[in-house]
Amino acid sequence: MGLVTGYLFFLISSLPVTVPDATDNCVHLMTGDTLYATSFSGERANWYYAVPVRWAYDNMIPGGEPMGLGVDTLRYRLFPLSSGVSYISLIPGEEALLPSPGVFYLTADPPSELLADTVAAVEPLHLQYPDCVIQVVSRPSDDYTGYLFEMINAPFLMTPRLTVGGNHQADCRLGCDCAGLAVYGARRMGLDIPYAGPLGIVRYLTSVVPGEFLPDSSIDPVVYISGYGDSVPVGLGGLVPGDIVHFGTQVSVFLEDKGIIGTLDPEDMLIQSWFDGPHVCAIRDCGFYHLPLRVFRWSASE
């Protein structure tokens, strides 16, 4: 049982988890967990959930005060869940639009400014409205790629920075860019890696297979080949889930060998953050298919 301002929570799970992490008004679940939320007063309430408006937010726009702080205001939409009840039970992914895995916000009897068609906030909703909003985060597993899925449903945010209140936008799951997603997962695994851009994180990476690789369309089916004719092995001794697929200006994370088993090819699956926010896609559909890539993994994870 975990106490959060405004709510009393109970977590029922088929996994060996009995108490949710309710730190700083944020509850972490595993995929398939059920969350029971009861109004702290025990009175009937109207329940809503909020999700970020999908957009390409940009902290590169000048004008932040003081400099270095995130300057963008994120927007959210509220949707009704239940009316006139003192408690609700939620299984993220089973209720309409509730992401699982991913992040959303839960509120009961929110103030009038939260009931607008679109809510604007600079701080995370659960920290800006700690008396009535919690952040709910679910993931499929307790490994690096599992933690990346906590960012599903968060928007793309170019160069995540600190908010005025001192909260890092990526650590709080307000949003992230491509490198921010990769670093977020590493930090959730306990690695001491600062947020940086695609070029800045290279110092924390080690090469899996040396060289640059391009899709060779002269062969069928297409595979990634270096200038020396080498391919990228997938599996034991090669690329594995959680490794970094680095396109130079874009960073993605390898998820699954889907095409030619044992060799990197355009049908293999990535998780990345681009203008649609964090999402899963095939390399062919990632928007950077035509660029040369390199393959790395976090040095601290070896």
Side-chain angles (χ1 to χ4, degrees):
M1 182 170 59
L3 182 63
V4 182
T5 304
Y7 304 94
L8 195 61
F9 293 99
F10 300 86
L11 177 66
I12 294 180
S13 170
S14 60
L15 301 171
V17 179
T18 56
V19 180
D21 176 2
T23 305
D24 294 329
N25 278 20
C26 179
V27 176
H28 290 272
L29 310 174
M30 296 295 288
T31 300
D33 286 348
T34 300
L35 176 67
Y36 288 88
T38 303
S39 63
F40 187 58
S41 66
E43 302 295 327
R44 296 178 184 270
N46 297 319
W47 297 81
Y48 301 82
Y49 70 97
V51 293
V53 175
R54 306 283 278 186
W55 191 254
Y57 298 92
D58 190 357
N59 280 330
M60 301 298 288
I61 300 172
E65 184 60 42
M67 281 299 289
L69 296 179
V71 298
D72 218 343
T73 299
L74 274 69
R75 289 168 174 79
Y76 303 83
R77 290 197 178 99
L78 258 67
F79 300 89
L81 269 175
S82 188
S83 299
V85 295
S86 59
Y87 73 93
I88 58 174
S89 62
L90 296 174
I91 303 177
E94 294 194 4
E95 285 76 18
L97 297 181
L98 293 188
S100 181
V103 57
F104 66 94
Y105 298 84
L106 179 65
T107 180
D109 284 342
S112 58
E113 63 263 30
L114 275 177
L115 294 174
D117 289 340
T118 303
V119 178
V122 175
E123 301 296 331
L125 282 184
H126 63 299
L127 300 181
Q128 186 161 327
Y129 299 94
D131 292 335
C132 64
V133 178
I134 64 162
Q135 185 184 70
V136 181
V137 187
S138 62
R139 63 182 181 276
S141 57
D142 284 329
D143 55 15
Y144 175 66
T145 57
Y147 283 118
L148 296 180
F149 276 91
E150 291 183 335
M151 278 287 196
I152 297 293
N153 213 51
F156 180 82
L157 203 168
M158 179 66 82
T159 312
R161 297 176 176 171
L162 294 179
T163 68
V164 175
N167 304 294
H168 195 279
Q169 293 170 318
D171 282 341
C172 288
R173 291 164 291 276
L174 276 177
C176 63
D177 56 16
C178 62
L181 176 64
V183 173
Y184 170 83
R187 290 169 66 88
R188 288 286 281 139
M189 290 291 291
L191 302 182
D192 185 18
I193 297 173
Y195 285 102
L199 297 180
I201 69 169
V202 172
R203 72 185 68 179
Y204 304 100
L205 304 173
T206 186
S207 179
V208 176
V209 182
E212 286 191 341
F213 299 84
L214 276 166
D216 188 345
S217 58
S218 69
I219 58 177
D220 186 18
V222 176
V223 297
Y224 276 86
I225 299 292
S226 74
Y228 299 101
D230 299 323
S231 61
V232 181
V234 176
L236 186 64
L239 197 66
V240 296
D243 284 341
I244 304 298
V245 179
H246 201 296
F247 294 95
T249 57
Q250 166 75 9
V251 171
S252 302
V253 177
F254 181 77
L255 272 186
E256 186 178 359
D257 190 3
K258 286 283 286 186
I260 304 168
I261 301 302
T263 303
L264 186 67
D265 67 82
E267 308 310 317
D268 292 336
M269 303 301 291
L270 306 172
I271 182 169
Q272 67 173 25
S273 183
W274 190 225
F275 287 141
D276 290 333
H279 62 279
V280 174
C281 64
I283 296 178
R284 184 184 301 280
D285 302 320
C286 75
F288 302 88
Y289 166 68
H290 60 291
L291 296 178
L293 63 80
R294 294 180 292 166
V295 289
F296 298 102
R297 64 175 52 115
W298 294 109
S299 299
S301 66
E302 289 194 313

